Amino acid sequence: MKNYKISIQYDGTKYNGWQRQKNTKNTIQEKFESVLSKMCTHNVEIFASGRTDAGVHAEAQVANFKCNTNKTPEEIKEYLNHYLPRDILVTSIKEVPERFHSRLNAVSKTYEYTIATKKPDVFTRKYVYFVEDGCPDVEKMKEVSQVFLGTHDFLGFSSVGKTKKSTVRTINFIDIEESDGLIKIKINADGFLYNMVRIIAGTIFDAAKGKISANDIINIFSAKIRAGAGVTLPACGLKLIEVFYKEQV
Amino acid sequence: MKNYKISIQYDGTKYNGWQRQKNTKNTIQEKFESVLSKMCTHNVEIFASGRTDAGVHAEAQVANFKCNTNKTPEEIKEYLNHYLPRDILVTSIKEVPERFHSRLNAVSKTYEYTIATKKPDVFTRKYVYFVEDGCPDVEKMKEVSQVFLGTHDFLGFSSVGKTKKSTVRTINFIDIEESDGLIKIKINADGFLYNMVRIIAGTIFDAAKGKISANDIINIFSAKIRAGAGVTLPACGLKLIEVFYKEQV
């Protein structure tokens, strides 16, 4: 079977996230698998670089799937874009070596969280989180964000319950920019725990308002208890914007 | 009473157009008048530079209203943006001389019609018209668009029924650009008849596909019969992008 790597854009507003689930309908994975299985006349499974939660968007999610087809990559892309709903778009596709796996081979991913501090542009309003109580101190946000850099146990900054898996991750960079009423928090890490970006963004936001100190954050790292961290910001403001791989495949 | 000029952005998707109507709810004018009348504790009427139809968007509609209030223009803007729904946004406001009227003083307006010839970006998909049968000849579109320039009776390119009012309008420019699967047709005129932009855009589009010739268009000008012109393209692709006034007010 051939292995294909695809880049995908989606408006997550009406989806229950990426991952197919037993008792929940309307996931993005399902949409892909249903169209791909019809195209290939055999069951196709698709793997994304990471699950995005319900309501989270993607500018450039990466996924891969294996299938038997005589279509060229360009023809597959056209087929998918024709049959997928308009809030899902395949932006590129290529055949890759059989060993390529979008999640296992991903070196790091960048998410962007956007907070609007004034009523946002009507055409992008669904992709930002609008806070009505004014602009926080962005310099303070930048300052406190530095505490998250590097390798830590992020259990206290996640919604992960009990788990035997490692909750240690490495954040490579956090960039915060403010322009015309939009604060964009970009976080790149080797991996993310459940709700991790939204809780870190919420903690940075709360810290800028003086509710949480850099010391509190350090204490949460050692205590590993979510209760002390900031709010989980809503899904609508979150977008997966880039996935990095070691080798160009 | 003070007179205020405001610039407005709206996502027209769920509205029945700008103009308040007897038997149709959910118009943009209504939304404004209801919030303004509450703010001023007297009935306020708002006038736009032109009515946009159901489903049509605005990047920068201009309107004016007269009212009694102690609020500063900035405070009025904040009040409106707080109480108006998120798909309507006031982007600027200023007090203007009493004689200013957004429609009567408008010298010209620019509308933009956007056709997507490939499945569009998921985040802007609601603001374009997606045609699945490929890209028409854009050079041919530019060529035929020139026939519309200048002063003509546009009755045949409108959905206006019998009327005693003049249906003569002057088109100042039509710019057509194609980039990355999006064709943008910008039309500037001193005024527009009902459905005029959407029918002209549809006629240019049909002409590029060889269905209508420049001669046909000239004949429609003299025959004044809508039947010969191209299709009325859907509202979702249309946006009012600029309104021009003679004097800076």
Side-chain angles (χ1 to χ4, degrees):
Chain A
M1 290 213 276
K2 291 174 188 165
N3 190 14
Y4 297 93
K5 177 191 179 196
I6 58 173
S7 277
I8 309 164
Q9 205 186 52
Y10 46 82
D11 175 342
T13 309
K14 68 166 205 187
Y15 292 101
N16 289 311
W18 169 269
Q19 197 178 36
R20 185 177 5 98
Q21 289 169 63
K22 261 190 188 159
N23 301 313
T24 311
K25 288 245 165 182
N26 207 29
T27 64
I28 297 152
Q29 184 178 14
E30 250 180 275
K31 296 284 171 196
F32 270 98
E33 292 180 346
S34 130
V35 176
L36 284 168
S37 300
K38 194 173 276 178
M39 184 187 87
C40 302
T41 63
H42 65 77
N43 277 342
V44 179
E45 209 174 340
I46 186 166
F47 305 93
S49 70
R51 318 160 188 183
T52 51
D53 295 338
V56 173
H57 316 293
E59 184 70 46
Q61 168 71 287
V62 175
N64 76 294
F65 59 89
K66 293 179 182 178
C67 73
N68 283 323
T69 176
N70 292 325
K71 291 186 191 293
T72 65
E74 196 51 37
E75 284 166 351
I76 298 175
K77 182 180 149 186
E78 269 178 37
Y79 186 96
L80 286 169
N81 282 338
H82 183 78
Y83 287 105
L84 285 167
R86 282 189 64 187
D87 47 13
I88 302 177
L89 177 73
V90 177
T91 55
S92 74
I93 181 167
K94 66 191 294 193
E95 201 186 329
V96 288
E98 211 187 336
R99 66 177 187 283
F100 175 79
H101 188 290
S102 60
R103 181 170 57 83
L104 300 177
N105 294 158
V107 174
S108 74
K109 285 180 291 217
T110 305
Y111 277 92
E112 182 175 81
Y113 198 93
T114 306
I115 298 168
T117 58
K118 60 179 194 186
K119 197 178 169 187
D121 186 296
V122 298
F123 304 112
T124 56
R125 70 189 190 280
K126 290 185 177 166
Y127 315 116
V128 304
Y129 167 51
F130 172 39
V131 289
E132 287 215 58
D133 54 352
C135 189
D137 183 340
V138 176
E139 287 312 309
K140 207 166 170 185
M141 290 179 74
K142 287 182 186 176
E143 201 187 301
V144 81
S145 72
Q146 301 306 301
V147 182
F148 287 102
L149 298 185
T151 304
H152 304 278
D153 186 331
F154 284 94
L155 185 59
F157 295 96
S158 78
S159 302
V160 174
K162 277 194 178 174
T163 178
K164 286 181 182 169
K165 292 183 186 166
S166 167
T167 48
V168 172
R169 297 290 185 275
T170 300
I171 293 187
N172 302 305
F173 66 78
I174 301 183
D175 283 343
I176 302 177
E177 278 175 29
E178 197 274 333
S179 167
D180 199 26
L182 292 181
I183 300 173
K184 289 181 182 287
I185 306 171
K186 274 189 196 149
I187 306 185
N188 175 277
D190 61 353
F192 293 91
L193 306 175
Y194 184 41
N195 280 348
M196 181 171 145
V197 185
R198 289 157 60 187
I199 295 171
I200 290 177
T203 303
I204 292 172
F205 189 68
D206 280 354
K209 291 191 284 187
K211 291 187 190 170
I212 294 173
S213 71
N215 253 336
D216 293 337
I217 294 170
I218 292 162
N219 288 335
I220 297 165
F221 278 136
S222 45
K224 299 174 193 179
I225 295 167
R226 197 251 166 276
V231 292
T232 306
L233 295 183
C236 61
L238 187 61
K239 220 182 237 182
L240 171 58
I241 57 168
E242 201 168 0
V243 186
F244 297 90
Y245 294 92
K246 201 170 179 180
E247 28 183 352
Q248 277 293 52
V249 286
Chain B
M1 289 212 278
K2 292 174 188 165
N3 189 14
Y4 296 94
K5 178 192 179 195
I6 59 175
S7 278
I8 309 164
Q9 205 186 52
Y10 46 82
D11 175 342
T13 309
K14 68 165 204 188
Y15 292 101
N16 288 310
W18 169 269
Q19 199 178 36
R20 185 178 2 100
Q21 288 169 63
K22 260 188 190 162
N23 301 313
T24 311
K25 287 246 166 182
N26 207 31
T27 64
I28 298 152
Q29 185 178 13
E30 252 180 273
K31 296 285 172 195
F32 270 98
E33 292 180 347
S34 129
V35 176
L36 283 169
S37 300
K38 193 173 278 178
M39 184 187 86
C40 303
T41 62
H42 64 78
N43 277 342
V44 179
E45 209 175 341
I46 186 166
F47 306 93
S49 71
R51 317 162 189 181
T52 51
D53 294 339
V56 172
H57 317 293
E59 183 71 45
Q61 169 72 286
V62 175
N64 76 293
F65 59 89
K66 292 180 183 176
C67 73
N68 284 322
T69 175
N70 292 325
K71 291 187 191 293
T72 65
E74 195 52 36
E75 284 166 349
I76 298 174
K77 182 180 149 186
E78 269 178 38
Y79 186 96
L80 287 169
N81 281 337
H82 183 78
Y83 288 104
L84 285 166
R86 282 190 63 187
D87 46 13
I88 302 176
L89 176 73
V90 177
T91 54
S92 72
I93 181 168
K94 66 191 292 193
E95 201 185 328
V96 288
E98 211 187 337
R99 66 177 187 283
F100 176 80
H101 188 290
S102 60
R103 181 170 59 81
L104 300 177
N105 294 159
V107 175
S108 74
K109 283 180 292 214
T110 305
Y111 276 92
E112 181 177 81
Y113 198 93
T114 307
I115 298 168
T117 58
K118 61 179 193 185
K119 197 177 169 186
D121 186 294
V122 299
F123 303 113
T124 55
R125 71 189 190 281
K126 289 187 177 165
Y127 315 116
V128 304
Y129 167 52
F130 172 38
V131 290
E132 287 216 57
D133 55 353
C135 189
D137 182 339
V138 177
E139 287 313 308
K140 208 165 170 184
M141 290 177 75
K142 288 182 187 177
E143 202 185 301
V144 81
S145 72
Q146 301 307 301
V147 182
F148 288 101
L149 298 185
T151 304
H152 304 278
D153 187 331
F154 284 95
L155 185 59
F157 296 96
S158 77
S159 301
V160 174
K162 278 194 178 174
T163 178
K164 286 181 184 169
K165 292 185 187 166
S166 167
T167 49
V168 172
R169 297 289 185 276
T170 300
I171 293 187
N172 301 305
F173 66 78
I174 301 184
D175 283 344
I176 302 178
E177 279 176 27
E178 196 275 334
S179 167
D180 199 26
L182 293 180
I183 300 173
K184 288 181 183 286
I185 306 171
K186 273 188 195 150
I187 306 184
N188 175 277
D190 61 352
F192 293 91
L193 306 174
Y194 184 40
N195 280 348
M196 180 172 147
V197 185
R198 288 157 61 188
I199 294 171
I200 290 178
T203 303
I204 292 172
F205 189 68
D206 280 354
K209 291 190 285 189
K211 291 186 190 171
I212 295 173
S213 72
N215 253 336
D216 293 338
I217 294 170
I218 292 162
N219 289 335
I220 297 165
F221 278 136
S222 46
K224 299 175 195 179
I225 294 167
R226 195 250 167 276
V231 292
T232 306
L233 295 183
C236 61
L238 187 60
K239 219 181 237 182
L240 171 58
I241 58 168
E242 201 167 0
V243 186
F244 296 90
Y245 294 91
K246 200 169 180 182
E247 29 181 353
Q248 278 294 51
V249 284

